[in-house]
Amino acid sequence: MTKLEKLLKERGPIKKIGVLGMGYVGIPAAVLFADAPCFNKVLGFQRDSKSSSYKIDMLNHGESPLKGEEPGLEDLIGKVVKAGKFECTPDFSRISELDAITLAIQTPFANPKDLEPDFSALIEGIRNVGKYLKPAMLVVLESTITPGTTEGMAKQILEEESGLKAGEDFALAHAPERVMVGRLLRNIREHDRIVGGINEASTRRAIELYSPVLTVGKVIPMSATAAEVTKTAENTFRDLQIAAINQLALYCEAMEINVYDVRTGVDSLKGEGITRAILWPGAGVGGHCLTKDTYHLERGVKIGNGQLDYPEGADSIYVLARKVNDFMPLHMYNLTVAALERIGKEIKGSKVAMLGWAFIRDSDDARNTPSEPYRDLCLKAGAIVTVHDPYVLKYPGVEISDDLEKVIRDADAVVVLAGHSAYFNVKADWVKEVTGKASPIIVDGRNVVEPDEFIGKGFVYKGIGRGDKNKHVIV
Ligand code: SAJ
């Protein structure tokens, strides 16, 4: 039996748990631990900063500080608070009372250009844990981090602050979160949970922590670094799949065919062992996962100890995928300029009505939205830009309206950037009347309009992947 196994045996089963970071990852995780009968008490740790101390009071009154619909969350918070099984506190010294502590602190990119992650909040959290760490405790990182961080930076800080040895005096693991806004509780209960310890005993202790909250999902054990790579790779692969269909859409435009016919054809290839995860082309890829996790993975390979064998001078296909997806807003701009040219207009001085600011359909989430670079290109070229979105009502430096008629009025070009349901039933003659133009322009970035309906009403149509329609005769 190793030293750690002996210490864990003496400490006994996990009873008291702490969660650092009361955000959309930490809160559901904490109340699900609290709801498990085998655990006695859960502490939610939240910094008492002016921007987030309100969460402490709300949570201790059984209310959820998260905005947006989260089925079952508020009830569960109320239940575990009332049962005295969960409380939120800014007192980090209480970490020393615990058997296990998880860190769910966000790791944004300080500045998107250099793609260096901002680990400052996470490092502060790790230091706090190190300061109050006791022998035979379990520490788990849930944040999305560069592969190698758990075994590297996190282990180092914890050992420095505590004077204890990771993997011998305390258990250390990574268990990446896979939650999606709008289904937080369901995701944690039903998704399989990747659990990666820095050694066997750490992995086993982390399995003991997560198994009770899983209903449908099962635990998938592996090393800490493999767990970090799994998390970043699952999003990298999705970004790659989207780039593959975006590139095919650009090719179809150049070959004057309809990418959606090709997509249907390719997707029809079925049968065991045959997979063609062909996704959907669009005006770009936004959000806080796919736009960043590729670069975490790329950094991981760089700071890894091994030697990478890869085609000489070739770009990583994952980085190329990011470049293709980040090109799509520029392609939308090029389609807009080309359409205006067809009626002898310049982008300068033209009025462009943007439909959709959110990065994803039917959502108010606008983080890293592709609409922003598109709008910047239009403004830089001297266009007048109005923005519509039914869900996103404010965004720094951008005036957004939920009044579609007002946004479209007098527009030379109407450009669809988000696939909100509201846009699928917009009628060509209504749009034409509101724009008041003889040949208004429609640029469809999310395949929401029927080209022939708009072309038939005298529109100049451009659609991503619609090489079969983009050179139509103007009626
Ligand atoms: N997008 C396309 N074409 C597609 C799919 C998406 O252009 O076929 C665009 C969307 O418009 C959006 C971006 O990509 O701008 C991201 O879309 P997403 O559906 O991947 O949504 P995210 O960013 O919320 O991804 C999250 C991720 N979940 C976690 O990180 C836990 C991702 O791993 C999930 O696969 C995804 O949700 C999901 O499937 O809902």
Side-chain angles (χ1 to χ4, degrees):
M1 190 184 274
T2 63
K3 179 181 176 189
L4 180 56
E5 285 163 336
K6 226 196 280 37
L7 287 171
L8 292 173
K9 202 163 164 3
E10 280 156 21
R11 180 179 273 266
I14 295 170
K15 289 291 174 202
K16 292 186 77 172
I17 299 163
V19 176
L20 241 70
M22 290 288 99
Y24 76 89
V25 175
I27 291 172
V31 295
L32 282 172
F33 284 138
D35 195 36
C38 60
F39 300 135
N40 292 346
K41 178 86 176 179
V42 178
L43 295 179
F45 292 91
Q46 178 55 51
R47 284 183 303 186
D48 201 356
S49 65
K50 63 181 182 313
S51 66
S52 54
S53 59
Y54 71 94
K55 293 184 189 173
I56 301 172
D57 302 337
M58 284 187 80
L59 284 164
N60 287 331
H61 287 95
E63 292 154 35
S64 167
L66 301 180
K67 60 185 175 64
E69 262 305 293
E70 285 303 339
L73 184 62
E74 185 124 272
D75 297 349
L76 191 53
I77 296 171
K79 178 188 169 195
V80 293
V81 167
K82 220 161 110 241
K85 291 199 73 182
F86 170 71
E87 71 174 282
C88 187
T89 173
D91 178 3
F92 285 84
S93 70
R94 296 187 62 187
I95 288 173
S96 49
E97 299 167 23
L98 305 169
D99 300 316
I101 177 99
T102 68
L103 291 90
I105 295 167
Q106 64 162 339
T107 52
F109 274 76
N111 115 33
K113 296 287 165 285
D114 67 13
L115 293 169
E116 278 303 308
D118 172 6
F119 283 140
S120 54
L122 179 63
I123 288 171
E124 186 194 336
I126 298 172
R127 268 200 205 295
N128 272 324
V129 170
K131 243 185 279 178
Y132 302 105
L133 195 60
K134 296 287 177 245
M137 270 176 74
L138 163 67
V139 181
V140 185
L141 299 179
E142 292 200 358
S143 312
T144 301
I145 46 185
T146 302
T149 302
T150 305
E151 292 261 6
M153 176 185 80
K155 178 166 173 264
Q156 212 178 345
I157 294 172
L158 288 167
E159 291 183 338
E160 265 164 34
E161 292 289 340
S162 66
L164 298 173
K165 188 102 181 69
E168 287 180 34
D169 300 319
F170 65 93
L172 176 59
H174 176 59
E177 52 83 12
R178 288 171 139 179
V179 293
M180 292 160 215
V181 169
R183 18 186 178 156
L184 298 177
L185 289 183
R186 210 180 83 215
N187 282 165
I188 297 176
R189 286 180 169 134
E190 297 181 5
H191 274 167
D192 290 343
R193 190 75 197 230
I194 312 291
V195 175
I198 62 166
N199 61 9
E200 278 297 305
S202 298
T203 305
R204 273 198 297 280
R205 193 63 163 175
I207 291 171
E208 183 192 332
L209 176 65
Y210 286 102
S211 304
V213 300
L214 298 181
T215 52
V216 174
K218 59 187 185 313
V219 168
I220 303 178
M222 57 183 76
S223 73
T225 305
E228 291 161 335
V229 173
T230 301
K231 170 66 191 176
T232 49
E234 69 190 19
N235 286 336
T236 299
F237 271 55
R238 184 167 173 82
D239 194 55
L240 185 63
Q241 288 168 329
I242 298 168
I245 184 72
N246 277 337
Q247 180 162 331
L248 187 62
L250 297 172
Y251 282 15
C252 288
E253 284 181 43
M255 296 185 279
E256 301 188 351
I257 53 166
N258 179 356
V259 72
Y260 295 96
D261 291 343
V262 174
R263 183 187 183 286
T264 305
V266 169
D267 198 38
S268 71
L269 196 59
K270 296 261 189 287
E272 66 291 338
I274 298 175
T275 55
R276 295 284 185 286
I278 188 159
L279 291 175
W280 301 92
V285 170
H288 51 291
C289 306
L290 276 56
T291 53
K292 302 285 177 271
D293 288 0
T294 297
Y295 296 111
H296 275 305
L297 182 58
E298 295 294 328
R299 282 186 77 241
V301 147
K302 274 199 197 70
I303 65 176
N305 308 327
Q307 182 61 37
L308 174 65
D309 191 16
Y310 195 75
E312 186 61 37
D315 241 3
S316 149
I317 54 171
Y318 304 145
V319 172
L320 270 183
R322 289 272 69 241
K323 287 179 183 161
V324 168
N325 287 336
D326 282 350
F327 171 74
M328 298 315 281
L330 175 55
H331 180 56
M332 286 293 288
Y333 171 77
N334 294 340
L335 288 176
T336 309
V337 170
L340 286 163
E341 261 160 27
R342 291 203 69 190
I343 50 169
K345 282 189 179 166
E346 285 184 356
I347 184 86
K348 186 171 166 41
S350 289
K351 186 176 174 199
V352 176
M354 290 176 62
L355 269 51
W357 192 258
F359 86 84
I360 191 160
R361 62 194 300 275
D362 293 340
S363 163
D364 69 349
D365 196 338
R367 279 174 284 190
N368 304 299
T369 178
S371 299
E372 186 154 23
Y374 173 81
R375 175 174 173 272
D376 291 346
L377 286 163
C378 291
L379 291 175
K380 210 167 85 198
I384 300 143
V385 180
T386 55
V387 180
H388 176 269
D389 196 290
Y391 305 98
V392 185
L393 302 180
K394 57 182 191 311
Y395 188 91
V398 183
E399 193 195 325
I400 301 173
S401 163
D402 59 359
D403 177 344
L404 192 53
E405 183 166 341
K406 190 180 100 187
V407 169
I408 291 181
R409 184 158 304 294
D410 303 330
D412 296 294
V414 177
V415 183
V416 181
L417 289 128
H420 292 321
S421 311
Y423 301 147
F424 281 76
N425 38 40
V426 159
K427 290 283 160 266
D429 37 24
W430 177 78
V431 174
K432 181 165 184 182
E433 187 207 322
V434 173
T435 63
K437 299 288 187 302
S439 307
I441 280 142
I442 177 89
V443 181
D444 189 356
R446 296 288 178 191
N447 192 32
V448 300
V449 302
E450 175 40 58
D452 292 340
E453 186 207 337
F454 281 74
I455 293 168
K457 296 284 183 191
F459 278 74
V460 177
Y461 169 90
K462 293 281 185 190
I464 285 192
R466 294 309 301 264
D468 59 324
K469 296 289 179 190
N470 283 349
K471 292 200 173 92
H472 67 84
V473 172
I474 299 174
V475 170

